[in-house]
Amino acid sequence: MDALNLELVCVLQPLESPKLLEFPKIADGRSCLCFVEARKHVPFDIERVYYINDVPYGESRGSHAHKSLHQVIIILSGSLTVDLDDGESLKSYQLSRADQGLFCPPGYWRNMREFKSGTVCLVLTSAHYDVYDYIRDYDEYLAWRHHPVLR
Ligand code: T46
């Protein structure tokens, strides 16, 4: 019988891709109205909404990952930059439009920075707040991303 040659290697678990979503925008002489419908304009049922405002100059937020939460980040006014890191590479998104949303799937280490003064950021999420869904330590995050498997 042939001997089995197995080795232990680490693989990155696959992640869904982030993407910019476009929302309907009704513009008339009175201004602009945008709307978002769950499962139609965002790919999940919206269970919770939170918003961030009054961010002091130079402050950043985030620096954590979510194990299973889906989110869409919408800038109602102002602008900011979102960094999404999958443990191997980092992509940055500059957001400033109320008719767009950044779809952030679970599993990315995220950071929000460069808030312009007066920025208001609305976040639609797929679940209620759950402290156990967060990974707040980057080394722990890398260990969570790299699964040991036998090959
Ligand atoms: C994310 C980034 C982009 C609650 O009690 N309920 C909530 O729904 C949220 C979002 C937060 N909290 C509490 C938990 C902390 O005691 O509010 C405090 C601040 O939360 P955190 O430090 O997580 O805030 P950010 O801005 O660093 O992160 C937030 C979201 O938590 C997170 O999901 O992806 O924005």
Side-chain angles (χ1 to χ4, degrees):
M1 199 157 68
D2 291 339
L4 276 178
N5 279 324
L6 291 176
E7 60 171 337
L8 193 63
V9 292
C10 281
V11 292
L12 275 176
Q13 55 171 327
L15 296 177
E16 271 182 82
S17 298
K19 61 180 168 205
L20 272 180
L21 308 174
E22 302 279 338
F23 303 131
K25 178 176 166 181
I26 317 289
D28 58 27
R30 297 169 299 170
S31 64
C32 290
L33 183 153
C34 298
F35 58 93
V36 180
E37 295 181 12
R39 293 242 156 247
K40 187 170 174 186
H41 304 120
V42 298
F44 52 81
D45 286 324
I46 299 164
E47 290 286 339
R48 176 172 53 105
V49 170
Y50 66 91
Y51 35 92
I52 296 171
N53 63 341
D54 277 348
V55 179
Y57 177 77
E59 190 57 88
S60 63
R61 301 198 62 110
S63 283
H64 57 247
H66 284 283
K67 295 177 195 165
S68 62
L69 188 73
H70 294 75
Q71 303 197 104
V72 170
I73 300 173
I74 303 170
I75 306 306
L76 298 185
S77 71
S79 65
L80 57 75
T81 299
V82 180
D83 298 321
L84 294 179
D85 172 1
D86 67 2
E88 271 193 332
S89 60
L90 182 144
K91 208 167 164 190
S92 297
Y93 299 83
Q94 252 203 313
L95 305 179
S96 60
R97 285 175 51 182
D99 61 345
Q100 285 187 336
L102 177 62
F103 172 57
C104 302
Y108 290 85
W109 186 266
R110 77 242 1 239
N111 197 32
M112 296 164 106
R113 60 186 169 87
E114 290 176 0
F115 285 79
K116 189 175 164 190
S117 169
T119 294
V120 180
C121 166
L122 177 74
V123 186
L124 314 176
T125 80
S126 62
H128 288 194
Y129 178 69
D130 175 8
V131 69
Y132 298 108
D133 191 60
Y134 286 76
I135 304 174
R136 292 190 181 270
D137 177 87
Y138 193 70
D139 289 337
E140 194 186 316
Y141 168 70
L142 290 178
W144 178 81
R145 288 285 291 126
H146 292 80
H147 280 281
V149 291
L150 279 174
R151 266 195 191 147

